[in-house]
Amino acid sequence: MSKEKMEIWGRELEMEVRYDCYSGEEVLDSQKEALAEFLRAEDGIEASLEEVKKYCLEQNGGEIGDSAITNIFKFVAPKYLYVARDADKHIVAVMCNYKFDQENGIAVVFEDGKFNRIGRQDIVL
């Protein structure tokens, strides 16, 4: 497994990279391309912050107790990058722990370097 240093939502993090591969399978060139494209998409990563805040407020606004989130890291902790095995689409998800759903966490999914969706981690696993 490799690690990538990158900035997510204004914070420099070292993220483990996990490829969707079975034991003995090779990482596809399209997966390598997906990761490279994602790492170049700094604007898209930063833009996803507002979507993550919106998700948190929609799902758990009562527990958050405020109409705005000033520090997303109080609720969401990025843990690793998941690169899907797809020859046609470049899909990378930032897999995160989520304070209000510690069992399932959340996935912030990017397709072709752009924010696509957010939800429980099982939307990409």
Side-chain angles (χ1 to χ4, degrees):
M1 276 182 245
S2 63
K3 292 189 177 210
E4 291 289 338
K5 240 185 192 171
M6 61 182 300
E7 187 172 306
I8 298 178
W9 310 325
R11 191 173 284 182
E12 187 77 26
L13 300 170
E14 186 171 76
M15 301 290 290
E16 178 184 331
V17 178
R18 297 182 188 175
Y19 292 95
D20 181 11
C21 288
Y22 290 110
S23 181
E25 281 186 323
E26 294 288 323
V27 173
L28 299 175
D29 286 340
S30 62
Q31 288 176 290
K32 294 175 187 172
E33 291 166 12
L35 178 62
E37 184 175 49
F38 170 77
L39 293 172
R40 286 191 304 269
E42 293 174 11
D43 291 342
I45 296 167
E46 283 308 306
S48 71
L49 174 59
E50 290 308 312
E51 295 295 329
V52 174
K53 288 178 179 182
K54 186 170 130 184
Y55 176 87
C56 293
L57 290 169
E58 286 173 359
Q59 299 296 313
N60 302 97
E63 292 99 319
I64 293 170
D66 200 341
S67 62
I69 296 173
T70 56
N71 181 3
I72 194 64
F73 295 100
K74 290 169 97 176
F75 310 109
V76 179
K79 288 296 166 192
Y80 65 94
L81 302 177
Y82 174 82
V83 184
R85 190 172 187 86
D86 192 317
D88 300 321
K89 298 177 186 174
H90 292 161
I91 298 173
V92 177
V94 179
M95 305 299 267
C96 305
N97 288 345
Y98 183 48
K99 180 178 182 175
F100 303 108
D101 189 353
Q102 294 184 14
E103 184 176 326
N104 298 297
I106 60 172
V108 183
V109 183
F110 296 81
E111 186 174 322
D112 298 327
K114 296 181 177 105
F115 173 78
N116 179 268
R117 66 190 184 279
I118 183 171
R120 292 169 46 160
Q121 289 181 358
D122 60 7
I123 64 174
V124 292
L125 293 179

